[in-house]
């Protein structure tokens, strides 16, 4: 893609907006990430899981944050975030983390906005890389530019990556890179990208079967499967003997998609998530053009996941790249449906606790932490549970319609 003057201006504006958002927003989830990364960057601790459970009850981290679920991610996440933090260790004084760990209010810490920008800065490079990766999936110059611009001004990444400061942009980029290599008929590298993404957050591993099904024969599919599993297992192998690792990484929060169940007896039921996944996998197995349809299966999987799961706000970043692909590939045909999904997502996010909405901007004005929250304001006027359930139902209905529309056999919207 040729960066015209207009695209350069858009890129610069997008970067400036990101830097501003990075410096004026804070979410408590960032504390968990930086405080655990602190042990690698400043103390050279390699096994964070056993280290956390070995801390005495008098340790400030245990007293003020707890250690049971402060870090529930695979080890590559810890080493990557810790390495980022190590790069800035000569700029951010250790006292910043020790004060935060000791329960000092983050809003009273010196140079807060500057430090927030530094802590989120690595995500800026990865996020801009995502814009270029999405553009590379298209052959037409006009489509490349639209994919690039849509990501640069995607509200979900402004919210999740730069306001909340979470690292989901890293595995999300790897899922897009898997499409990049699949488009170039290199399914082995596509599978490796999925494996590396799963080494940060495990959700990409559920996309691996779609790549395996695109193999030519049994042996080719077996090699693809190994490429998609071995790198992931190599990153976690040194920690498999740790009960703390298994408890933190493979705990209940990694199984939220199974919370929804249709009971068929008093004790047994059917999981809508698993039912839907089996149907999508079977469709992919019988597909005549699996590589060209790969992005559709990715998008369909995520739409199903979010339809039956009480997802965290940052999870919506996982599906955002594929919504951009769908909009560009199908030339805005389903724009109104995606705007409906976005509106449902915004409503659901705003009805979480205050720290995920107005409270994000307490860096500017601490009194925003005292805002009662949109959920409480709505609850005083209406049946909030019914309203939220209705919005989730609307989201699920639109998502299922999109899945059916995507998986029809016509060739519209294929990536050549």
């Amino acid at each position: 893609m040729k960066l015209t003057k207009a695209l350069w201006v858009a890129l610069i504006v997008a970067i400036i907006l990101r830097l501003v958002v990075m410096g004026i927003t804070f979410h408590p989830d960032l504390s968990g990430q930086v405080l655990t990364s602190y042990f690698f960057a400043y103390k050279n601790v390699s096994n964070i899981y056993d280290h956390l459970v070995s801390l005495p009850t008098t340790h400030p981290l245990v007293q003020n944050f707890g250690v049971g679920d402060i870090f529930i991610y695979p080890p590559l996440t810890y080493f990557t975030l810790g390495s980022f933090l190590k790069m800035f260790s000569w700029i951010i004084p250790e006292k910043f983390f020790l004060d935060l760990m000791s329960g000092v209010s983050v809003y009273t810490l010196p140079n807060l906005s500057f430090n927030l920008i530094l802590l989120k800065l690595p995500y800026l490079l990865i996020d801009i890389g995502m814009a270029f990766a999405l553009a590379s999936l298209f052959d037409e110059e006009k489509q490349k530019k639209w994919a690039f611009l849509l990501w640069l001004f995607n509200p979900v990444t402004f919210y999740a990556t730069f306001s909340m400061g979470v690292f989901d942009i890293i595995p999300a980029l790897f899922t897009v890179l898997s499409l990049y290599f699949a488009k170039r008929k290199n399914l082995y590298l596509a599978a490796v990208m999925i494996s590396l993404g799963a080494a940060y957050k495990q959700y990409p591993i559920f996309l691996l079967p779609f790549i395996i099904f695109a193999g030519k024969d049994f042996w080719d599919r077996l090699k693809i499967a190994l490429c998609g599993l071995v790198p992931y297992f190599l990153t976690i192998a040194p920690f498999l003997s740790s009960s703390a690792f298994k408890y933190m990484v493979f705990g209940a929060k990694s199984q939220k998609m199974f919370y929804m169940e249709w009971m068929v007896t008093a004790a047994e039921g059917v999981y809508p998530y698993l039912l839907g996944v089996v149907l999508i996998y079977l469709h992919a197995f019988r597909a005549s053009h699996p590589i060209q349809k790969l992005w559709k299966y990715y998008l369909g999987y995520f739409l199903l996941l979010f339809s039956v799961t009480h997802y965290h706000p940052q999870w919506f970043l996982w599906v955002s790249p594929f919504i951009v692909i769908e909009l560009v590939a199908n030339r805005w045909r389903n724009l109104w449906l995606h705007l409906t999904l976005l509106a449902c997502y915004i409503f659901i996010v705003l009805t979480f606790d205050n720290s995920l909405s107005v409270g994000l901007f307490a860096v500017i004005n601490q009194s925003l932490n005292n805002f009662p929250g949109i959920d409480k304001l709505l609850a005083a006027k209406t049946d909030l549970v019914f309203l939220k359930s209705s919005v989730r139902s609307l989201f699920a209905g639109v998502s299922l319609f999109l899945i059916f529309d995507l998986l029809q056999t016509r060739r519209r919207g294929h990536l050549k």
Side-chain angles (χ1 to χ4, degrees):
M1 180 186 67
K2 181 181 178 181
L3 281 180
T4 62
K5 182 178 179 180
L7 289 180
W8 271 113
V9 171
L11 178 59
I12 293 170
V13 170
I15 291 174
I16 292 173
L17 288 175
R18 281 162 168 77
L19 289 170
V20 171
V21 171
M22 289 157 63
I24 64 174
T25 53
F26 170 79
H27 185 267
D29 279 1
L30 184 61
S31 297
Q33 293 178 24
V34 300
L35 289 181
T36 47
S37 302
Y38 157 83
F39 288 105
F40 180 79
Y42 290 82
K43 300 299 181 182
N44 296 314
V45 173
S46 58
N47 188 334
I48 187 60
Y49 312 101
D50 288 345
H51 182 76
L52 288 176
V53 299
S54 68
L55 293 175
T57 56
T58 55
H59 193 281
L61 185 66
V62 179
Q63 291 183 328
N64 296 302
F65 292 89
V67 296
D69 63 354
I70 192 173
F71 194 81
I72 57 174
Y73 311 111
L76 188 58
T77 304
Y78 171 66
F79 292 122
T80 301
L81 298 181
S83 298
F84 285 152
L85 192 56
K86 190 181 284 286
M87 287 192 302
F88 301 118
S89 60
W90 62 279
I91 303 176
I92 307 178
E94 185 177 7
K95 188 176 184 300
F96 177 87
F97 304 98
L98 295 177
D99 286 344
L100 182 60
M101 193 181 300
S102 298
V104 175
S105 172
V106 67
Y107 306 107
T108 64
L109 297 177
N111 303 315
L112 177 60
S113 291
F114 177 70
N115 288 335
L116 285 174
I117 291 174
L118 289 181
L119 293 172
K120 301 174 186 178
L121 190 60
Y123 303 149
L124 177 62
L125 302 176
I126 297 167
D127 188 71
I128 298 303
M130 174 71 87
F132 283 98
L134 286 170
S136 71
L137 297 177
F138 296 93
D139 296 323
E140 295 180 20
E141 194 66 21
K142 185 177 181 180
Q143 289 183 314
K144 288 177 178 289
K145 292 176 181 178
W146 271 120
F148 185 73
L149 290 170
L150 281 173
W151 188 262
L152 286 183
F153 298 99
N154 166 26
V156 178
T157 196
F158 275 97
Y159 174 76
T161 306
F162 300 108
S163 294
M164 294 183 65
V166 292
F167 64 89
D168 294 63
I169 186 64
I170 301 177
L173 176 60
F174 279 110
T175 61
V176 172
L177 289 176
S178 73
L179 288 182
Y180 173 86
F181 288 109
K183 183 174 183 286
R184 283 152 181 76
K185 307 298 191 294
N186 193 331
L187 295 179
Y188 303 126
L189 275 180
V192 169
M193 293 300 104
I194 289 295
S195 193
L196 291 176
Y200 286 94
K201 270 198 171 182
Q202 295 169 96
Y203 77 88
I205 208 70
F206 296 102
L207 304 177
L208 181 60
F210 300 125
I211 301 176
I212 294 173
F213 297 152
K216 293 175 293 188
D217 51 40
F218 172 80
W219 293 111
D220 191 39
R221 290 171 178 172
L222 178 60
K223 288 184 284 186
I224 293 170
L226 290 174
C227 287
L229 294 174
V230 170
Y232 167 72
F233 281 110
L234 287 177
T235 63
I236 68 171
F239 303 88
L240 288 176
S241 61
S242 168
S243 58
F245 163 76
K246 288 180 280 190
Y247 170 77
M248 293 179 187
V249 177
F250 299 107
K253 287 189 177 181
S254 65
Q255 303 168 25
K256 293 187 71 172
M257 68 283 285
F258 294 109
Y259 288 3
M260 184 177 179
E261 183 179 6
W262 293 333
M263 302 306 297
V264 294
T265 71
E268 300 173 8
V270 173
Y271 297 114
Y273 163 78
L274 193 54
L275 173 65
V277 166
V278 169
L279 290 174
I280 295 176
Y281 282 165
L282 288 175
H283 191 284
F285 183 74
R286 301 289 285 271
S288 55
H289 302 282
I291 293 179
Q292 290 85 351
K293 292 179 178 178
L294 196 57
W295 70 267
K296 296 184 177 184
Y297 291 116
Y298 285 14
L299 176 55
Y301 170 81
F302 287 124
L303 290 175
L304 169 69
L305 175 68
F306 296 140
S307 295
V308 299
T309 306
H310 184 269
Y311 54 84
H312 294 255
Q314 65 268 31
W315 289 9
F316 207 71
L317 192 69
W318 306 350
V319 71
S320 297
F322 308 106
I323 290 178
V324 169
I325 294 171
E326 198 281 332
L327 285 171
V328 176
N330 283 330
R331 303 184 189 279
W332 311 92
R333 175 174 175 266
N334 292 316
L335 174 62
W336 65 282
L337 293 173
H338 291 299
L339 288 176
T340 301
L341 293 179
L342 179 62
C344 292
Y345 167 73
I346 292 173
F347 175 84
I348 291 170
V349 166
L350 291 178
T351 53
F352 278 98
D353 64 83
N354 183 46
S355 68
L356 287 164
S357 55
V358 178
L360 285 169
F361 298 92
V363 175
I364 303 173
N365 186 342
Q366 291 186 49
S367 64
L368 293 176
N369 276 325
N370 301 321
F371 183 74
I374 296 173
D375 57 332
K376 294 181 176 61
L377 295 177
L378 287 174
K381 302 290 184 180
T382 185
D383 184 343
L384 182 59
V385 174
F386 175 80
L387 185 58
K388 291 171 70 173
S389 298
S390 299
V391 171
R392 289 187 181 276
S393 299
L394 174 61
F395 185 101
V398 172
S399 295
L400 291 176
F401 177 84
L402 272 170
I403 293 171
F404 291 136
D405 185 65
L406 285 168
L407 299 187
Q408 292 182 49
T409 56
R410 57 176 178 268
R411 290 189 56 79
R412 181 177 60 234
H414 286 176
L415 295 177
K416 298 181 178 62

